[in-house]
Amino acid sequence: MLAQIQAPALEEVSSDQLDQSIISGHPFVVRGCSIVRAAQERLSPEALKQLLQTTPISIEHKHRWESRRTTLSAREYLDNLDRTDFYWRQADLRSLGISDLKLPSPANVRSDTMFFDSLWVGPNGTVQTFHQDNHDVVVVNRNLFCQVHGSKYVAIASPADSEYFQAYPLKNGTDRHSSVSPFDPATALNCPSFAHSILQSGDLLYVPPRYWHYLQSLSISVSVSRWWFSSRLVELLYASAISGEMAEPTFLGELAWDNDVRELGGVDVLTQYIERLSGVQKYAICARLVRLYGEGIFKHGRQGKS
């Protein structure tokens, strides 16, 4: 018998209750979360169609291992959800004009924390193979995954079992996407942390940092992932790397720079991260840092204290 993710019997879940569960470091499911249910009207396929109309959207095949992509109008795609083979994945809610939607949030975060909210829409049979969310040694996210419409099978495993998943890469050259199947008995035998559940409309899943997770739609499905990061500088680095159109905090100044660099782990950590970026990305993040902290951060050797 495969272990089930523990699912607190909470319909009303406060930010403090979320924090208590998140601090445990383990995945969990909240059944019938009232905040997720409240989002259903605005994020139904019909509501999205009325909002977006002929807006072009990029979609990809519902099976991750198929490298097929195309572009359709939102209306054409959503009108054919019951017979399409394509998946509309990780669409930024702000770019869709949905910036005021209330979603579950932890309490123990800064008041100006940036949340990265993405929409996932697909037909029955859509598969997101086992993967770890976008991160490296600096950028590590947490994920509150809201199942807004439809149902989804989810399997999850600890990064302690990464060796098994990385032994079967989905494609050569990647170590964050795996071809391992949750339905193969060998997976449970080789992964002590393996657990699974079925998310129903209104359920909330927490995916801790670096956890492997697999998702498969059991019906037409609409989901929202809410990502957040461990520090303000990591948020800014991620937003710049994805060209995110995020609302920036007001001017912070050099004192905040010293504190934020220290929170990141020192100026060397920041420098090593920026050096790996492309020229355009380097320009974007440096321009953003100057806007927020002032030109003094790059003058007179003042780069933050480590």
Side-chain angles (χ1 to χ4, degrees):
M1 178 71 69
L2 296 177
Q4 291 288 317
I5 300 172
Q6 292 300 308
L10 299 171
E11 288 194 359
E12 301 294 335
V13 58
S14 69
S15 293
D16 288 332
Q17 288 171 312
L18 279 180
D19 277 350
Q20 291 170 12
S21 296
I22 288 169
I23 288 170
S24 74
H26 301 295
F28 61 87
V29 173
V30 178
R31 300 293 184 190
C33 178
S34 60
I35 301 176
V36 178
R37 289 200 304 255
Q40 291 171 348
E41 182 176 354
R42 291 186 64 186
L43 295 182
S44 70
E46 183 62 29
L48 291 169
K49 183 175 68 174
Q50 292 301 318
L51 173 68
L52 299 171
Q53 294 291 327
T54 59
T55 302
I57 61 172
S58 298
I59 54 179
E60 64 183 51
H61 197 274
K62 67 180 183 180
H63 295 152
R64 187 65 182 260
W65 54 92
E66 297 274 356
S67 298
R68 292 168 54 193
R69 293 177 172 80
T70 190
T71 301
L72 287 177
S73 72
R75 181 169 59 197
E76 183 178 359
Y77 175 71
L78 294 166
D79 273 341
N80 293 280
L81 261 181
D82 58 343
R83 47 191 178 275
T84 186
D85 286 329
F86 284 82
Y87 185 31
W88 185 20
R89 63 182 294 274
Q90 206 164 5
D92 176 60
L93 284 184
R94 289 179 181 82
S95 69
L96 301 178
I98 306 173
S99 59
D100 59 345
L101 186 69
K102 185 178 180 181
L103 293 170
S105 300
N108 189 26
V109 293
R110 301 185 330 272
S111 60
D112 63 349
T113 292
M114 294 184 190
F115 290 100
F116 297 81
D117 301 328
S118 298
L119 182 71
W120 310 75
V121 181
N124 184 16
T126 298
V127 174
Q128 282 284 92
T129 52
F130 267 115
H131 64 284
Q132 295 173 302
D133 287 335
N134 294 331
H135 65 259
D136 55 27
V137 294
V138 175
V139 177
V140 181
N141 70 288
R142 291 169 170 78
N143 182 356
L144 283 172
F145 187 85
C146 308
Q147 185 58 27
V148 182
H149 287 281
S151 57
K152 230 169 212 182
Y153 170 84
V154 58
I156 198 162
S158 165
D161 291 324
S162 288
E163 184 176 355
Y164 180 71
F165 292 100
Q166 292 172 344
Y168 303 94
L170 186 63
K171 295 180 180 179
N172 291 333
T174 177
D175 60 1
R176 291 192 299 103
H177 295 269
S178 176
S179 62
V180 166
S181 170
F183 309 113
D184 182 347
T187 302
L189 291 174
N190 286 280
C191 299
S193 66
F194 178 82
H196 65 168
S197 186
I198 292 177
L199 302 179
Q200 303 288 356
S201 178
D203 287 350
L204 175 67
L205 166 71
Y206 172 62
V207 182
R210 297 190 173 94
Y211 264 66
W212 293 88
H213 47 295
Y214 172 105
L215 302 104
Q216 180 169 332
S217 299
L218 304 178
S219 65
I220 289 174
S221 172
V222 178
S223 312
V224 172
S225 60
R226 162 154 278 200
W227 288 13
W228 75 102
F229 296 89
S230 57
S231 72
R232 178 162 34 215
L233 272 176
V234 173
E235 294 165 359
L236 296 170
L237 292 172
Y238 181 75
S240 296
I242 64 170
S243 301
E245 297 180 3
M246 305 298 298
E248 292 183 351
T250 56
F251 182 76
L252 299 168
E254 292 181 29
L255 179 59
W257 169 256
D258 286 339
N259 293 332
D260 290 351
V261 169
R262 189 180 302 111
E263 183 182 41
L264 181 68
V267 69
D268 289 343
V269 174
L270 176 61
T271 301
Q272 290 169 12
Y273 180 87
I274 292 177
E275 284 302 313
R276 297 202 308 269
L277 302 177
S278 69
V280 172
Q281 290 173 328
K282 285 179 183 177
Y283 175 82
I285 184 60
C286 289
R288 183 169 264 173
L289 293 178
V290 167
R291 286 197 303 273
L292 292 177
Y293 297 102
E295 294 183 1
I297 63 174
F298 295 122
K299 291 181 179 179
H300 311 300
R302 185 179 179 82
Q303 295 181 306
K305 301 172 183 176
S306 58

